[in-house]
Amino acid sequence: MENLAKLRPLFLFVSGLMGLSGVALAAAASHGGDTQFLGNASTMCLAHAPVLLALYLGHATFRTATLSALALGLGTILFAGDLVSRHYLGDRLFPFAAPAGGSLMMLGWLLVAAGAFLGRRA
């Protein structure tokens, strides 16, 4: 877990980029008329950006914060990236990118829930 703690600044950076991407994707969906791919990618980014920020801030007392942020961040990038790729490139990012991203996001939320049973950091 010590090595994962070195990734914490990256989570703050990704949170900001994810929020920016969510707003940009919402605008693109709104002006381009594609709410299926771009709208869903926007929703995932905007839903998970504040969570990454909260996990970054809660690291000191929340045992699973770093691992949760890693899973949620990577999962959201894969899931949203696949949807954006389908819209702009007409094909997937790579086979099973969206399901892998969705699975990582679910794992991240499970890790958040597990944090309730692991107690607080000293």
Side-chain angles (χ1 to χ4, degrees):
M1 280 299 214
E2 273 305 306
N3 291 335
L4 285 180
K6 294 177 184 175
L7 295 175
R8 281 191 63 243
L10 181 63
F11 300 142
L12 184 59
F13 178 73
V14 170
S15 173
L17 288 183
M18 209 173 279
L20 170 86
S21 298
V23 174
L25 289 167
S30 163
H31 296 289
D34 177 12
T35 57
Q36 180 182 0
F37 291 133
L38 298 182
N40 288 335
S42 169
T43 299
M44 285 299 119
C45 287
L46 288 174
H48 289 91
V51 174
L52 289 181
L53 175 61
L55 290 169
Y56 170 82
L57 294 172
H59 173 266
T61 58
F62 184 28
R63 286 192 187 273
T64 60
T66 303
L67 201 51
S68 299
L70 183 62
L72 286 167
L74 286 175
T76 305
I77 289 168
L78 280 177
F79 188 85
D82 188 66
L83 295 178
V84 170
S85 177
R86 287 174 190 232
H87 173 76
Y88 287 111
L89 302 177
D91 201 6
R92 309 176 236 184
L93 196 56
F94 57 84
F96 300 104
S103 296
L104 276 171
M105 285 188 287
M106 288 186 279
L107 174 64
W109 284 110
L110 185 61
L111 288 166
V112 168
F117 301 103
L118 296 177
R120 299 174 66 101
R121 287 184 187 249

